[in-house]
Amino acid sequence: MQAIKSLVVFMGILIVAGIGLLGYGLYSKRAHLGEPAATPQAAQPIPAFAAPPQALPQAVPPAQPGARPGQIAGGWERAPGMAPPAPLRPFDTLSLGEPAGSTVRTYQVSGSVLVLEVVGGGKPARFIAVDLNAGAIIGRLVPTDAP
């Protein structure tokens, strides 16, 4: 009987200590309540089409100290001398020239270049790069077997 009383007292102490630690944790985090939680960065997929490095805008990371992980302090700015991206201009319907039964599996946009992964239609998977400013197909990448 004495062992049961000791166990009950010990469990009571653990419960009180746990509630105390929970209260302390909430008290110490009260300044950050209402702020979005920092999310871990997911692995970035390899782009299907990579523009030459000189065509990509260069960014200068913020120089303000004290930023928490996932927070951009002051935002990102273009490197000196970099022109802003040209606005996209409208264009008429663009035919990809793919056979019936072809579907777009994935797509990715980088600046004014749209890359489509097209499958089906009796052909192997292929990539089509489209210039959204000109409304024209830049090129096609078709994987084939090596000779």
Side-chain angles (χ1 to χ4, degrees):
M1 193 64 167
Q2 182 64 25
I4 294 176
K5 286 183 182 181
S6 298
L7 183 61
V8 169
V9 170
F10 179 70
M11 292 298 290
I13 291 171
L14 285 178
I15 290 172
V16 170
I19 291 173
L21 288 173
L22 180 65
Y24 173 75
L26 291 174
Y27 176 78
S28 64
K29 300 289 183 190
R30 75 185 184 285
H32 301 293
L33 291 177
E35 292 181 8
T39 57
Q41 287 187 341
Q44 297 295 322
I46 297 173
F49 175 81
Q54 65 273 17
L56 298 175
Q58 302 298 315
V60 178
Q64 298 177 358
R68 292 191 311 267
Q71 176 188 7
I72 299 176
W76 290 74
E77 298 180 13
R78 294 197 175 277
M82 291 295 297
L88 297 179
R89 63 182 184 88
F91 57 87
D92 201 12
T93 303
L94 174 66
S95 173
L96 297 178
E98 294 296 313
S102 298
T103 58
V104 175
R105 181 188 299 170
T106 61
Y107 68 92
Q108 184 169 2
V109 178
S110 177
S112 65
V113 176
L114 168 68
V115 177
L116 304 168
E117 180 185 9
V118 181
V119 296
K123 290 183 169 182
R126 58 239 177 241
F127 295 95
I128 302 171
V130 179
D131 182 349
L132 296 176
N133 278 329
I137 295 175
I138 298 171
R140 298 174 191 272
L141 177 65
V142 180
T144 59
D145 294 333

